[in-house]
Amino acid sequence: MLKSCDVRGCGSVRLFLFSNFILFFTLRIKAKMASGAVANAPPAGGANDVSLEEPKKMTREDWRKKKELEEQRKLGNAPAEVDEEGKDINPHIPQYISSVPWYIDPSKRPTLKHQRPQPEKQKQYNSSGDWYKRGVQEHAVATRYRKGACENCGALTHKKKDCMERPRKVGAKYTGMNIAPDEHVQPQLMFDYDGKRDRWNGYNPEEHMKIVEEYSKVDLAKRTLKAQKLQEELASGKLEQVERDHNSEDEDEDKYADDIDMPGQNFDSKRRITVRNLRIREDIAKYLRNLDPNSAYYDPKTRAMRENPYANTGKNPDEVGYAGDNFVRYTGDTISMAQTQLFAWEAYDKGSEVHLQADPTKLELLYKSFKVKKEDFKAQQKESILEKYGGQEHLDAPPAELLLAQTEDYVEYSRHGTVIKGQEKAIACSKYEEDVKINNHTCIWGSYWKEGKWGYKCCHSFVKYSYCTGEAGKEIANTEASLMEEQPEEAEHMTKPKTLMEIHQEKQKEKKKKKHKKSSNSDSEGEEKKKQEKLKKALNAEEARLLHIKEIMQLDERKRPYNSQYETREPTEEEMEAYRMKRQRPDDPMASFLGQ
């Protein structure tokens, strides 16, 4: 009976909970419908206001279609999605980057506008032509002192402590005279990265004309003085007309000798020696041949441009004046010599005794015969293949360069990075000229070294731009060296004998020195005693410090005192010596016996 009652009570409770759940669910649906009607109604502020309605949940079918469309776009079968500005969106960009939050854009269209720099947040920079104003305002000059102006000069743009004028005995505030003009109010300029580093910003090219005019006036004054001097000499009869013309021509030649000299030569009219410069100044610089930043790279340190600067312009390298450093290295006999060296190495490995430097003629003949045999073998192999399989008509076709109007430079590398086939990049060499022999020398400068000086081995000369004198120069250098060695010996023999007075004075000086040494020895003994006493005191203080440290280390950490009253000063020499003597070293084998 009890069991049936319990079952009936449980059923009633279940029925009550189920009815309450249905009631709550219906109320919730009504509330959502009411909120949806309010959200769909037009707002009072206008039709352009953004509503914060959450996005509706997509069905499974819509989600599947969306994923299929994304896959097709990634494969390139479907056109890319377009943002609000009409730009294509890369389908490989993740969704969390391209999608806009629903609370920002109600249209919810994918875009990348929120990922780009916003124009309202970009800084506004001044143009490259803007610069600070120079000088003072000359159009308006005050005639009396104005309130708030500088008390010294009377300018309104600064105060007395910032005034750059000489301090007056009585300032303009009290005299009201000689009021200085006001300076310009400087603008607040804000430049970008390039503007801050523009070294010519604010430069006025007209200022250079002042220097040109000054030099022209000096040159004109020199010419007038020279003409007056020649006229006076001609009038006095010292100089004839023919001699005057001849001398003027010689002077003009000496004056303009640099202009008439060969390119790259510096002419000195006094020494009559030509000196080679680093590069010919009349030639165009390598970095000015093609101003495209994507063209060949120019190394400013070595002054090298290895690649062709006209590579992307369509010009033929043979017709251009400069086609890069690599073009020079890989033209002419350079490639043939490298091939000959390679053939010599391969022939030596196969048993042939040939060498490029030892037997160049033998190697050249052997290489020529090898090339002829190789070409004959290739021709025979080609003919045998054509006879067996045919296909001669395909070989008579025009080359691929004419058919496709393009070429391809093939370079094959090994797994270690070395070039197997093709053209290797050039190695950077020194910018200085090597093995240059000047002024009839047979050896280079620096081939001879003696007594800390460099020279020429051929003539033992230590002057860099001297002419070679050969064996005669060596003999002169040897005789000078022998004379320099004999001079000190002669100087010793030529010393004058000392007088009795000089000998007596030297003896008196020696006696004084001995007395001074004795007194200094007694003083040093007293100083040593003082040092020993100081060292004993320092040793006692060090022992006391070590005992104090030992006692503190035995205490608990929470009961140890603070070191706030500890005196901080530089230790003396005696204290450092006592510390070194009392310091225990763990690597010392006698460290365990120190405490006994």
Side-chain angles (χ1 to χ4, degrees):
M1 190 69 180
L2 285 169
K3 291 181 179 179
S4 63
C5 291
D6 292 339
V7 173
R8 290 174 184 174
C10 291
S12 61
V13 170
R14 290 177 180 174
L15 184 60
F16 176 76
L17 292 175
F18 183 72
S19 61
N20 287 340
F21 176 76
I22 292 173
L23 180 62
F24 175 76
F25 189 74
T26 53
L27 291 173
R28 182 71 182 270
I29 291 172
K30 289 181 179 180
K32 279 191 175 182
M33 292 175 64
S35 63
V38 172
N40 291 329
N48 295 330
D49 294 347
V50 177
S51 63
L52 299 179
E53 181 185 357
E54 295 185 4
K56 293 181 180 180
K57 191 173 182 180
M58 297 177 65
T59 61
R60 186 171 295 177
E61 186 67 22
D62 295 340
W63 180 261
R64 186 181 61 78
K65 290 180 179 179
K66 183 179 178 182
K67 286 295 180 183
E68 288 180 357
L69 183 60
E70 289 179 359
E71 292 297 330
Q72 292 297 324
R73 283 173 176 166
K74 289 180 180 180
L75 295 173
N77 298 329
E81 197 170 5
V82 181
D83 61 357
E84 57 186 7
E85 296 180 357
K87 298 179 180 178
D88 292 342
I89 299 176
N90 192 344
H92 299 282
I93 294 176
Q95 186 180 4
Y96 68 89
I97 293 178
S98 61
S99 62
V100 184
W102 62 272
Y103 51 82
I104 292 179
D105 189 3
S107 64
K108 305 173 193 61
R109 289 185 58 190
T111 181
L112 297 177
K113 186 178 180 181
H114 57 285
Q115 298 287 348
R116 298 190 182 98
Q118 305 300 322
E120 61 273 5
K121 294 182 180 180
Q122 296 297 315
K123 293 182 179 180
Q124 298 295 330
Y125 297 104
N126 295 89
S127 61
S128 59
D130 297 339
W131 197 247
Y132 301 100
K133 299 179 180 178
R134 294 191 177 95
V136 295
Q137 299 179 8
E138 298 178 354
H139 61 277
V141 180
T143 56
R144 60 178 183 174
Y145 183 78
R146 294 160 293 180
K147 187 177 180 180
C150 177
E151 297 180 2
N152 184 42
C153 65
L156 199 61
T157 51
H158 63 267
K159 297 296 181 183
K160 184 179 179 181
K161 63 178 181 179
D162 301 327
C163 186
M164 302 297 293
E165 192 176 330
R166 179 182 59 82
R168 301 181 184 180
K169 191 173 184 180
V170 181
K173 180 179 179 182
Y174 305 102
T175 59
M177 298 171 63
N178 296 331
I179 304 297
D182 299 337
E183 294 94 352
H184 291 288
V185 178
Q186 300 297 344
Q188 295 292 333
L189 299 179
M190 186 176 179
F191 295 104
D192 55 356
Y193 183 88
D194 294 331
K196 290 176 182 177
R197 291 157 181 79
D198 188 3
R199 56 185 295 189
W200 295 105
N201 195 2
Y203 173 72
N204 188 10
E206 296 179 357
E207 295 180 358
H208 183 67
M209 294 304 298
K210 298 178 182 178
I211 301 173
V212 176
E213 292 175 359
E214 181 181 356
Y215 275 86
S216 63
K217 289 179 181 178
V218 172
D219 193 13
L220 182 62
K222 287 181 179 179
R223 289 182 180 180
T224 52
L225 287 173
K226 185 178 179 180
Q228 290 177 3
K229 186 177 179 181
L230 291 173
Q231 289 292 338
E232 291 174 359
E233 291 179 358
L234 186 63
S236 61
K238 295 180 181 179
L239 190 68
E240 295 182 358
Q241 183 72 21
V242 178
E243 293 179 357
R244 183 175 64 84
D245 294 337
H246 182 70
N247 292 335
S248 64
E249 289 177 2
D250 292 341
E251 290 174 2
D252 289 338
E253 286 180 1
D254 292 341
K255 183 177 180 181
Y256 300 104
D258 293 338
D259 296 337
I260 63 173
D261 197 19
M262 292 175 62
Q265 302 286 338
N266 186 8
F267 185 84
D268 191 352
S269 59
K270 296 179 181 178
R271 294 184 298 171
R272 302 289 179 180
I273 297 173
T274 57
V275 182
R276 180 78 178 177
N277 292 330
L278 288 177
R279 70 175 179 86
I280 302 173
R281 301 298 171 181
E282 286 79 9
D283 288 354
I284 301 174
K286 297 177 182 178
Y287 52 85
L288 295 178
R289 292 186 176 273
N290 192 352
L291 301 179
D292 186 8
N294 297 324
S295 62
Y297 172 71
Y298 174 75
D299 188 7
K301 188 174 182 180
T302 59
R303 297 180 182 176
M305 183 180 285
R306 295 170 181 83
E307 298 178 358
N308 185 8
Y310 304 101
N312 300 326
T313 58
K315 296 181 180 179
N316 189 5
D318 298 328
E319 298 176 356
V320 179
Y322 177 77
D325 297 339
N326 290 347
F327 182 79
V328 178
R329 291 188 180 96
Y330 293 102
T331 53
D333 296 335
T334 310
I335 300 173
S336 61
M337 188 170 183
Q339 292 174 353
T340 308
Q341 180 67 69
L342 185 62
F343 172 74
W345 291 337
E346 293 176 353
Y348 185 79
D349 293 336
K350 293 178 180 179
S352 299
E353 294 291 336
V354 288
H355 196 271
L356 180 62
Q357 281 78 28
D359 299 323
T361 308
K362 179 182 177 182
L363 179 64
E364 188 69 20
L365 294 173
L366 189 63
Y367 184 50
K368 285 183 179 179
S369 64
F370 170 76
K371 286 195 293 184
V372 171
K373 291 179 181 179
K374 186 178 180 181
E375 290 175 359
D376 294 338
F377 175 75
K378 284 184 178 180
Q380 291 176 3
Q381 190 177 17
K382 183 179 177 181
E383 290 175 0
S384 63
I385 292 171
L386 289 174
E387 288 177 359
K388 187 174 182 179
Y389 300 102
Q392 182 66 32
E393 64 276 3
H394 300 290
L395 297 177
D396 297 333
E401 290 84 1
L402 298 176
L403 292 174
L404 305 176
Q406 61 183 3
T407 59
E408 183 176 356
D409 296 328
Y410 176 75
V411 181
E412 185 177 346
Y413 294 91
S414 66
R415 65 176 63 186
H416 304 291
T418 58
V419 177
I420 300 173
K421 293 181 180 179
Q423 183 177 355
E424 188 179 4
K425 288 190 176 180
I427 302 171
C429 63
S430 175
K431 68 178 181 180
Y432 301 103
E433 295 179 346
E434 298 180 0
D435 299 333
V436 178
K437 300 172 184 177
I438 60 172
N439 298 334
N440 205 25
H441 285 283
T442 57
C443 298
I444 61 171
W445 167 257
S447 58
Y448 182 66
W449 169 267
K450 185 178 180 183
E451 296 179 357
K453 293 186 292 184
W454 292 104
Y456 293 100
K457 189 177 180 180
C458 54
C459 59
H460 291 187
S461 175
F462 298 105
V463 182
K464 188 172 184 180
Y465 294 105
S466 63
Y467 281 93
C468 183
T469 54
E471 295 296 332
K474 289 183 181 180
E475 293 177 0
I476 293 169
N478 294 331
T479 53
E480 288 180 355
S482 61
L483 289 173
M484 293 296 291
E485 292 176 356
E486 293 175 0
Q487 282 180 0
E489 297 177 358
E490 295 177 358
E492 292 178 0
H493 293 296
M494 294 298 291
T495 53
K496 295 180 180 179
K498 295 181 180 179
T499 60
L500 294 174
M501 188 66 181
E502 292 175 351
I503 295 169
H504 178 69
Q505 288 177 354
E506 288 180 357
K507 289 182 179 180
Q508 292 293 330
K509 289 180 181 178
E510 290 177 357
K511 289 181 181 179
K512 288 181 181 179
K513 287 181 180 178
K514 289 179 180 178
K515 289 181 181 179
H516 183 66
K517 285 182 180 178
K518 289 181 180 178
S519 60
S520 62
N521 290 333
S522 60
D523 293 340
S524 62
E525 289 177 359
E527 290 178 357
E528 286 179 359
K529 289 180 180 179
K530 289 181 181 179
K531 286 183 179 180
Q532 292 293 334
E533 291 176 358
K534 289 182 180 179
L535 183 59
K536 287 180 181 179
K537 291 181 181 179
L539 287 169
N540 296 331
E542 182 67 18
E543 290 177 357
R545 188 182 70 84
L546 293 174
L547 289 173
H548 180 63
I549 290 172
K550 190 174 181 180
E551 292 174 359
I552 289 175
M553 294 301 294
Q554 291 177 357
L555 294 174
D556 189 10
E557 291 183 356
R558 293 170 291 184
K559 295 182 180 180
R560 290 179 186 173
Y562 294 102
N563 293 326
S564 59
Q565 300 298 327
Y566 185 75
E567 182 182 4
T568 57
R569 62 178 178 82
E570 185 179 1
T572 60
E573 294 182 2
E574 290 77 12
E575 291 176 352
M576 291 298 297
E577 185 66 23
Y579 168 74
R580 296 189 190 100
M581 293 171 70
K582 293 293 182 181
R583 183 178 62 176
Q584 291 186 359
R585 297 176 178 83
D587 56 345
D588 190 1
M590 303 295 291
S592 59
F593 299 99
L594 292 175
Q596 297 180 1

